[in-house]
Amino acid sequence: MLPFNFDYYTPKTMKEAVDLYQDLDQQGKQPMFFSGGTELITLGRINLAYTEAVIDIKDIAECKVMQVSGDHLFLGSSLSLTRIEEANLFPLLTKTVSEVADHTARVKITLGGNICAQIFYREAVLPFLLADSQVLIIGPDGEKIIPINEIFQEQLRLKKGEFLVQVATETQFIGAPYFSVKRRQQWETGYPLITMAALKIDREIRVAISGLCPFPFRSKEVEASLNNRGQSVEARIDRALAVMPTPILEDVEGSAKYRLFVLKNLLLDVMAALDGVRVR
Amino acid sequence: MKSHTIMLDINGDSRIVTVRSADTLLNALRGKLGLTGAKPGCLNGDCGACTVNVDGWPMKSCLMLVVEAVGKKITSIEGLKQAPIQQAFIENFAFQCGYCTPGFIMNCHSLIEQYPDADDTTIKEWLESNICRCTSYIEIEKAVKSVLKRN
């Protein structure tokens, strides 16, 4: 039960949702778009999230799309992670999201909700960063299609009144060799220490990482280091570690030093899996 | 619209209830409808004690607003009438204190309905969603497998 009241709206069209947001914002209701809603429900309960108007976008047809059309896969933002796993249209995405929270929670957590979450892991974004996907966003200025690597800088840079509608991914990335792993402090449940997703395309390895920094990222500098085939694997990984973004997280899940230790081993695993190179 | 009068389809019955938008399904089941089988545990989506079945899938009722449940078929533990998994829990003594049991049974029931030939990996993946402080995990696994085997 949430300790505050709010109005609840279920718009049927994107325009209706956008107009509602603007009206409610003008009324000072601090409106919030809502899909799975797990974050509002859990953070709201302990007064870390607040709204007076919830706009549930689950009934909007465009947000429920899941189809391959032409050479793109389109995934709606209100699809639950379980539905994405069951359909398995993008194996790297399936593998990555299958480690988020737990199975029952993933019936409720949505693709858009995870990508736009306050919680810093936001692991569902990793495969899309690797696949140079594009996002469809709607807001007061209308529809926009933007490369995810442009608009996702630590988080999805939505303007006020905008929401994520769909993610489009070229099918050439969907069939590419991939690697995805989530390392936890211990056992097989709980928050990640580090989650890494990797893809090999055009003989180049791409990596995206969550849990190392207080935001998920894909780094061109890191990838350039890993793909510098003139050097030994150890040298490439050492160079990649030297150009990681900062700050490195230091929290109850693990110290910065331990995270970098785990990361180094994960990068060795990536190189072995996708490049066939092993260090004895 | 901070409060709504809505009709819910629960355990095959239509129930009319007036709720706050901010009420979770768990609040409404226990506080408004007298269905106290779904248990409040962490209230944070972690423990699974409040699991019910919504449109055939397990759902942590603390993670769902009751207004989201309109138009969906909700089954709580009270709606299971001698389901095979209930008997299997008894036969395998798959509980000790029993607090987590309704949630475990509802998750197991959904698993059996969705995947009647579930393998070990699928069983483990699904049942990781629930926590048993009495650690009856081995017995719960036996109970689920005994029903799946019959399938």
Side-chain angles (χ1 to χ4, degrees):
Chain A
M1 183 165 61
L2 293 165
F4 51 87
N5 285 315
F6 51 78
D7 296 324
Y8 177 74
Y9 300 91
T10 53
K12 302 291 184 286
T13 66
M14 294 192 290
K15 184 176 186 310
E16 197 185 332
V18 170
D19 291 348
L20 256 174
Y21 188 100
Q22 287 186 292
D23 288 348
L24 294 164
D25 186 47
Q26 280 173 4
Q27 294 171 40
K29 300 266 182 135
Q30 301 176 57
M32 187 180 285
F33 290 117
F34 177 105
S35 186
T38 55
E39 201 158 83
L40 174 63
I41 294 169
T42 55
L43 295 183
R45 189 175 63 82
I46 51 175
N47 291 313
L48 292 177
Y50 179 80
T51 180
E52 291 172 21
V54 162
I55 303 171
D56 189 338
I57 62 170
K58 281 198 293 291
D59 286 347
I60 298 172
E62 288 86 346
C63 295
K64 298 191 279 191
V65 162
M66 178 164 58
Q67 69 177 66
V68 177
S69 180
D71 56 0
H72 281 84
L73 167 67
F74 297 91
L75 294 172
S77 60
S78 71
L79 292 171
S80 73
L81 299 186
T82 306
R83 282 208 64 201
I84 287 169
E85 288 174 69
E86 294 283 322
N88 193 23
L89 296 175
F90 185 178
L92 171 58
L93 180 64
T94 300
K95 176 72 171 66
T96 306
V97 301
S98 72
E99 301 274 357
V100 172
D102 61 57
H103 180 270
T104 306
R106 292 196 300 276
V107 174
K108 194 70 173 27
I109 297 169
T110 61
L111 182 65
N114 186 266
I115 290 174
C116 300
Q118 283 188 45
I119 192 168
F120 60 77
Y121 297 110
R122 303 192 277 275
E123 291 146 292
V125 80
L126 301 178
F128 299 118
L129 294 175
L130 295 176
D132 293 333
S133 300
Q134 301 192 74
V135 293
L136 170 62
I137 286 165
I138 187 134
D141 301 330
E143 292 181 24
K144 288 188 281 193
I145 297 172
I146 308 174
I148 196 162
N149 281 305
E150 196 176 293
I151 193 169
F152 193 95
Q153 299 295 328
E154 301 188 2
Q155 56 185 305
L156 200 66
R157 301 281 171 181
L158 295 172
K159 292 181 190 159
K160 195 172 190 179
E162 291 182 335
F163 67 92
L164 174 64
V165 180
Q166 287 169 10
V167 187
T169 305
E170 279 186 62
T171 49
Q172 62 158 326
F173 293 102
I174 287 167
Y178 68 91
F179 180 87
S180 176
V181 68
K182 178 172 183 167
R183 285 276 183 270
R184 298 177 176 85
Q185 188 185 46
Q186 56 187 356
W187 303 321
E188 294 170 28
T189 56
Y191 290 114
L193 191 63
I194 294 179
T195 299
M196 181 182 291
L199 193 73
K200 189 173 185 183
I201 192 94
D202 299 332
R203 299 187 66 245
E204 300 278 296
I205 290 174
R206 299 179 176 192
V207 294
I209 300 168
S210 162
L212 181 71
C213 303
F215 48 82
F217 65 90
R218 176 184 166 201
S219 159
K220 297 280 185 190
E221 292 76 17
V222 169
E223 289 175 7
S225 304
L226 292 176
N227 289 303
N228 185 358
R229 291 194 165 73
Q231 293 190 319
S232 69
V233 175
E234 295 97 322
R236 284 147 68 181
I237 291 177
D238 283 345
R239 182 63 196 149
L241 291 173
V243 295
M244 286 289 161
T246 54
I248 307 296
L249 282 167
E250 175 111 18
D251 60 20
V252 69
E253 302 295 337
S255 66
K257 197 174 168 187
Y258 183 59
R259 277 189 154 88
L260 287 169
F261 168 77
V262 172
L263 177 65
K264 182 173 185 174
N265 284 283
L266 287 178
L267 288 171
L268 284 166
D269 293 343
V270 168
M271 301 297 266
L274 297 182
D275 240 5
V277 287
R278 291 183 187 278
V279 177
R280 289 187 181 181
Chain B
M1 292 199 300
K2 289 182 172 62
S3 74
H4 305 250
T5 298
I6 56 175
M7 186 176 285
L8 296 176
D9 179 341
I10 299 184
N11 300 331
D13 295 331
S14 295
R15 300 283 300 267
I16 294 172
V17 62
T18 300
V19 294
R20 296 162 64 231
S21 304
D23 283 339
T24 60
L25 178 58
L26 177 65
N27 301 141
L29 289 173
R30 294 180 60 83
K32 302 273 184 178
L33 295 161
L35 297 170
T36 55
K39 295 289 182 272
C42 66
L43 301 178
N44 199 50
D46 295 323
C47 76
C50 66
T51 303
V52 298
N53 179 306
V54 175
D55 283 347
W57 289 86
M59 176 63 65
K60 293 179 177 182
S61 60
C62 73
L63 285 185
M64 185 178 210
L65 299 176
V66 63
V67 288
E68 292 183 87
V70 173
K72 299 182 185 305
K73 284 193 178 302
I74 306 156
T75 307
S76 67
I77 189 76
E78 292 89 344
L80 294 192
K81 307 291 184 199
Q82 296 183 326
I85 189 65
Q86 291 175 296
Q87 188 62 31
F89 263 61
I90 295 167
E91 287 167 2
N92 290 277
F93 196 38
F95 43 74
Q96 289 185 49
C97 82
Y99 198 80
C100 71
T101 307
F104 258 109
I105 287 183
M106 294 312 296
N107 194 13
C108 292
H109 181 71
S110 301
L111 168 66
I112 291 160
E113 295 279 303
Q114 296 288 343
Y115 287 100
D117 54 355
D119 59 14
D120 283 6
T121 307
T122 307
I123 294 170
K124 189 173 174 184
E125 185 194 3
W126 278 60
L127 295 195
E128 275 176 0
S129 309
N130 295 65
I131 296 170
C132 171
R133 281 297 299 266
C134 309
T135 65
S136 297
Y137 297 113
I138 298 292
E139 291 80 5
I140 292 168
E141 183 185 2
K142 283 180 184 166
V144 177
K145 286 186 172 174
S146 72
V147 178
L148 290 168
K149 202 172 172 183
R150 266 179 257 157
N151 288 332

